[in-house]
Each structure stands twice: as structure tokens, then as C-alpha cells.
Amino acid sequence: MEPALSIIICAHNPRRDYLDKVLSALKHQILSFEQWELLLVDNASDQILASEVDLTWHPQSRHIREDQLGLTPARLRGIKEALAETLIFVDDDTVLDADYLEVSLQISKDFPFLGAWGGQIRPEFEVTPPEWTKPYWQYLAIREFDRDKWSNLIHQYETTPCGAGMCVRRTVAEKYANLTSCDPKRLGLGRKGQKLFSGEDSDLALIACDIGLGTGQFVALNLTHLIPAKRLDEAYILKLLEGMAYSHTILKSLRSDIPTLPKFSWRGKFWEQYRLLKMNPRERRLHKAYNQGRINAIQEILDSQAN
């Protein structure tokens, strides 16, 4: 009997105390082991995880090694290996509530018109976050809301789930895999070693809309995102904003939304300078990093079109 859910953890040199918490939360899920399988995809870690991480507590668990570096290749490998009709992507720093799998399975039955869905993501900070970081928490995959919401509109990002804890139907995952495996641009989205690219999770979720299904987010689905101290450093957030702006601009171009370099009138230039002057030095640096990521992507798109 095939499992109802496939849980896929993609890990590259994971922080072991965090990964242990992730696995402990899975070990204590309300949903019985018979209804789900566990796949730990070791994405080119320096130390082979199969020799260090014990999964024998789960009767339907597998270690899988993927040597092509990058979150997207790792997820593609997980999709290829998964047996269930619903796949759930769990990051190596996300701790699921005890009923997460049970609620996910029920949603898959109650909302057959949805192809991808997720839930609320609470932060657990290793250190008290500086006050200035709060406007940027959304970029750290933190999602909290007070009502269920779903849509089949591609540009309705309010219902598009984050990659952490995202549930997708096999039909969506296989369509995504077929498109991505032969597309270097799509393969380049997502984390890759120290490069803080993203967008692969949105791309995967939006495939649901492409094939006539929808996306959704549910209050009853809850997990905790473990956030280390280094992710609250200005240097990290600068790099993160630039990487995310770059990735999402590339993603828009892949979805036929071709961006253009901004052209300011003298009034536009004036108001942009006025905005910058109202910002403190750190805000200006962060603003410029985001803009630089977007400009880098647009220039890359224009260069590829010219060739």
C-alpha cells in the first residue's frame, strides 16, 4: 500500500541541532507512520547524512543523495523518488506542529480543486531580533494570518504558499519537474550553497494555477521556522534582498511578465531621491540592494534576448 503523503526534507550541510528538532517533530506527528513516508535528500553535504542521521525510527524512510548542488535539483530528486499523491516539502529548519500532516491530508481531501497549499509560519529566533529587522521578516519566510484563503489566480500572491511546509499534488509536482529539468533558468532558482536565490517555491506553487487548480493557505496548518542569529545580520539581509529581487524578477520573465529597466522622468528622479533622503543609512543600503538585484536580473534578461 502506497503512503498518502511523502515528506521531503532537502538539506545541504544542515545545522544538526535544527535538523534534530525537525525530525523529532515528525517523529511525534499524530498521523500514523503507515500513512506517510519520509525522504531525506542530502544535497551535496560535506558529510554524508546517511552515515550521521538515524531514520530507522520510521518504517517508510529513505536517505537519498543528490550531488548536484542547489535546492531546486534536490527538490526535483525528491519529486522523482516520492511515492505518494501529495508531497510536503519540509526545510531542515522548520518544525511542524504535531497535527500538521493530519491537517494536510484532510485538506487534500476537502479541497480537491487546490494543487498547492501551506499554512502559518511562526518564527523562533535564536537571539532577540533587533527592532530594525521587523519590516524585513516577511523575507525570512514568516507568515501569520487569521483566515483561510484560496484562489486560482496566478497573480494572487496572498494565497501562494511558502516553500517551508508547502503541500503539492503529484500532478503539480510532475508538471513542474518536467518543465524545470530542461530549463536552466528554472534550475537556477532557489538556494545554491551560499547564494540566496529564491522563487523556486513560488514557481512550483503557481504550476497549480497553470493546470487549472488553485493555491491556498490555511490557519490550521502551523509550523515554526528556526532562525539563527546570523540571519539577523545586516550583511545577510542585504544579500537576501538582492538575491530575492533577482530571483523573482527572473521568475516573472519565465512567466511571460517581461520586466524593463526603470526610466524616470525628472519628477520621478526627484521623488526617488526624496525617498532616499528620508531613509536612514541602513534603509538606503537595503533599498539599494533590492533594486540592484532587480536591475541585475533585468540586464541579464535583456542580454539573453539580444543574443
Side-chain angles (χ1 to χ4, degrees), residues 200-221:
E200 83 299 332
D201 47 1
S202 296
D203 193 24
L204 172 55
L206 293 175
I207 294 290
C209 300
D210 294 341
I211 64 173
L213 297 172
T215 60
Q217 299 207 77
F218 293 86
V219 173
L221 275 179

CSV table of all heavy atoms in Angstrom, one decimal, residues 200-221:
chain,number,residue,atom,x,y,z
A,200,GLU,N,11.9,29.5,-6.5
A,200,GLU,CA,11.5,28.1,-7.0
A,200,GLU,C,10.2,27.6,-6.3
A,200,GLU,O,9.5,26.9,-6.9
A,200,GLU,CB,12.7,27.1,-6.7
A,200,GLU,CG,12.8,26.5,-5.4
A,200,GLU,CD,13.0,27.5,-4.2
A,200,GLU,OE1,13.6,28.6,-4.5
A,200,GLU,OE2,12.6,27.2,-3.1
A,201,ASP,N,10.0,28.0,-5.1
A,201,ASP,CA,8.8,27.6,-4.4
A,201,ASP,C,7.5,28.2,-5.0
A,201,ASP,O,6.5,27.6,-5.2
A,201,ASP,CB,8.9,27.8,-2.9
A,201,ASP,CG,9.4,29.2,-2.5
A,201,ASP,OD1,9.6,30.0,-3.5
A,201,ASP,OD2,9.5,29.5,-1.3
A,202,SER,N,7.6,29.5,-5.3
A,202,SER,CA,6.5,30.2,-6.0
A,202,SER,C,6.3,29.6,-7.4
A,202,SER,O,5.1,29.4,-7.8
A,202,SER,CB,6.8,31.7,-6.1
A,202,SER,OG,6.9,32.3,-4.9
A,203,ASP,N,7.3,29.3,-8.1
A,203,ASP,CA,7.2,28.7,-9.4
A,203,ASP,C,6.4,27.4,-9.3
A,203,ASP,O,5.5,27.1,-10.1
A,203,ASP,CB,8.6,28.5,-10.0
A,203,ASP,CG,8.5,28.1,-11.5
A,203,ASP,OD1,7.5,28.5,-12.2
A,203,ASP,OD2,9.5,27.6,-12.0
A,204,LEU,N,6.9,26.5,-8.3
A,204,LEU,CA,6.2,25.2,-8.1
A,204,LEU,C,4.7,25.4,-7.8
A,204,LEU,O,3.9,24.8,-8.3
A,204,LEU,CB,6.9,24.5,-7.0
A,204,LEU,CG,6.3,23.2,-6.5
A,204,LEU,CD1,6.0,22.2,-7.6
A,204,LEU,CD2,7.2,22.5,-5.5
A,205,ALA,N,4.4,26.3,-6.8
A,205,ALA,CA,3.0,26.5,-6.4
A,205,ALA,C,2.2,27.0,-7.6
A,205,ALA,O,1.0,26.6,-7.7
A,205,ALA,CB,3.0,27.5,-5.2
A,206,LEU,N,2.7,27.9,-8.4
A,206,LEU,CA,1.9,28.5,-9.4
A,206,LEU,C,1.6,27.6,-10.6
A,206,LEU,O,0.7,27.8,-11.4
A,206,LEU,CB,2.6,29.8,-9.9
A,206,LEU,CG,2.6,31.0,-8.9
A,206,LEU,CD1,3.4,32.1,-9.4
A,206,LEU,CD2,1.2,31.4,-8.5
A,207,ILE,N,2.4,26.5,-10.7
A,207,ILE,CA,2.1,25.5,-11.7
A,207,ILE,C,0.7,25.0,-11.4
A,207,ILE,O,0.0,24.6,-12.4
A,207,ILE,CB,3.1,24.3,-11.6
A,207,ILE,CG1,4.5,24.8,-12.0
A,207,ILE,CG2,2.7,23.1,-12.4
A,207,ILE,CD1,4.7,25.1,-13.5
A,208,ALA,N,0.2,25.0,-10.2
A,208,ALA,CA,-1.1,24.5,-9.9
A,208,ALA,C,-2.1,25.3,-10.7
A,208,ALA,O,-3.1,24.8,-11.3
A,208,ALA,CB,-1.4,24.6,-8.4
A,209,CYS,N,-1.9,26.7,-10.7
A,209,CYS,CA,-2.9,27.5,-11.5
A,209,CYS,C,-2.7,27.3,-13.0
A,209,CYS,O,-3.7,27.3,-13.7
A,209,CYS,CB,-2.6,29.0,-11.2
A,209,CYS,SG,-2.8,29.4,-9.4
A,210,ASP,N,-1.5,27.0,-13.4
A,210,ASP,CA,-1.3,26.7,-14.8
A,210,ASP,C,-2.1,25.5,-15.3
A,210,ASP,O,-2.5,25.5,-16.5
A,210,ASP,CB,0.2,26.4,-15.1
A,210,ASP,CG,1.1,27.7,-14.8
A,210,ASP,OD1,0.6,28.8,-14.8
A,210,ASP,OD2,2.3,27.5,-14.7
A,211,ILE,N,-2.3,24.5,-14.5
A,211,ILE,CA,-3.0,23.3,-14.9
A,211,ILE,C,-4.5,23.3,-14.4
A,211,ILE,O,-5.1,22.3,-14.4
A,211,ILE,CB,-2.3,22.1,-14.5
A,211,ILE,CG1,-2.2,21.9,-13.0
A,211,ILE,CG2,-0.8,22.0,-15.0
A,211,ILE,CD1,-1.6,20.6,-12.5
A,212,GLY,N,-5.0,24.5,-14.0
A,212,GLY,CA,-6.4,24.6,-13.7
A,212,GLY,C,-6.8,24.3,-12.3
A,212,GLY,O,-8.0,24.2,-12.0
A,213,LEU,N,-5.8,24.2,-11.4
A,213,LEU,CA,-6.1,24.1,-10.0
A,213,LEU,C,-5.8,25.4,-9.3
A,213,LEU,O,-5.6,26.5,-9.9
A,213,LEU,CB,-5.2,23.0,-9.4
A,213,LEU,CG,-5.5,21.6,-10.0
A,213,LEU,CD1,-4.4,20.6,-9.5
A,213,LEU,CD2,-6.9,21.1,-9.6
A,214,GLY,N,-5.8,25.5,-8.0
A,214,GLY,CA,-5.5,26.7,-7.2
A,214,GLY,C,-4.5,26.5,-6.1
A,214,GLY,O,-3.9,25.5,-5.9
A,215,THR,N,-4.3,27.7,-5.4
A,215,THR,CA,-3.3,27.7,-4.3
A,215,THR,C,-4.1,28.2,-3.1
A,215,THR,O,-5.1,28.9,-3.2
A,215,THR,CB,-2.1,28.6,-4.6
A,215,THR,OG1,-2.6,29.9,-4.8
A,215,THR,CG2,-1.3,28.1,-5.8
A,216,GLY,N,-3.6,27.8,-1.9
A,216,GLY,CA,-4.3,28.2,-0.7
A,216,GLY,C,-3.4,28.2,0.5
A,216,GLY,O,-2.3,27.7,0.5
A,217,GLN,N,-3.9,29.0,1.6
A,217,GLN,CA,-3.2,29.0,2.8
A,217,GLN,C,-4.2,28.8,3.9
A,217,GLN,O,-5.3,29.4,3.9
A,217,GLN,CB,-2.5,30.3,3.0
A,217,GLN,CG,-1.4,30.5,2.0
A,217,GLN,CD,-0.3,31.4,2.4
A,217,GLN,OE1,0.6,31.0,3.2
A,217,GLN,NE2,-0.3,32.6,2.0
A,218,PHE,N,-3.9,28.0,5.0
A,218,PHE,CA,-4.9,27.6,6.0
A,218,PHE,C,-4.3,27.9,7.4
A,218,PHE,O,-3.2,27.6,7.7
A,218,PHE,CB,-5.2,26.1,5.8
A,218,PHE,CG,-5.9,25.8,4.5
A,218,PHE,CD1,-5.2,25.6,3.4
A,218,PHE,CD2,-7.3,25.8,4.5
A,218,PHE,CE1,-5.9,25.3,2.2
A,218,PHE,CE2,-8.0,25.5,3.3
A,218,PHE,CZ,-7.2,25.3,2.2
A,219,VAL,N,-5.2,28.5,8.2
A,219,VAL,CA,-4.9,28.9,9.6
A,219,VAL,C,-4.5,27.6,10.4
A,219,VAL,O,-3.7,27.7,11.3
A,219,VAL,CB,-6.1,29.6,10.2
A,219,VAL,CG1,-5.9,29.8,11.7
A,219,VAL,CG2,-6.4,30.9,9.5
A,220,ALA,N,-5.2,26.5,10.1
A,220,ALA,CA,-4.9,25.3,10.9
A,220,ALA,C,-3.6,24.6,10.7
A,220,ALA,O,-3.2,23.8,11.5
A,220,ALA,CB,-6.1,24.3,10.7
A,221,LEU,N,-2.9,25.0,9.6
A,221,LEU,CA,-1.6,24.4,9.3
A,221,LEU,C,-0.6,25.3,10.0
A,221,LEU,O,-0.4,26.5,9.6
A,221,LEU,CB,-1.4,24.3,7.8
A,221,LEU,CG,-1.9,23.1,7.1
A,221,LEU,CD1,-1.5,23.2,5.6
A,221,LEU,CD2,-1.3,21.8,7.6
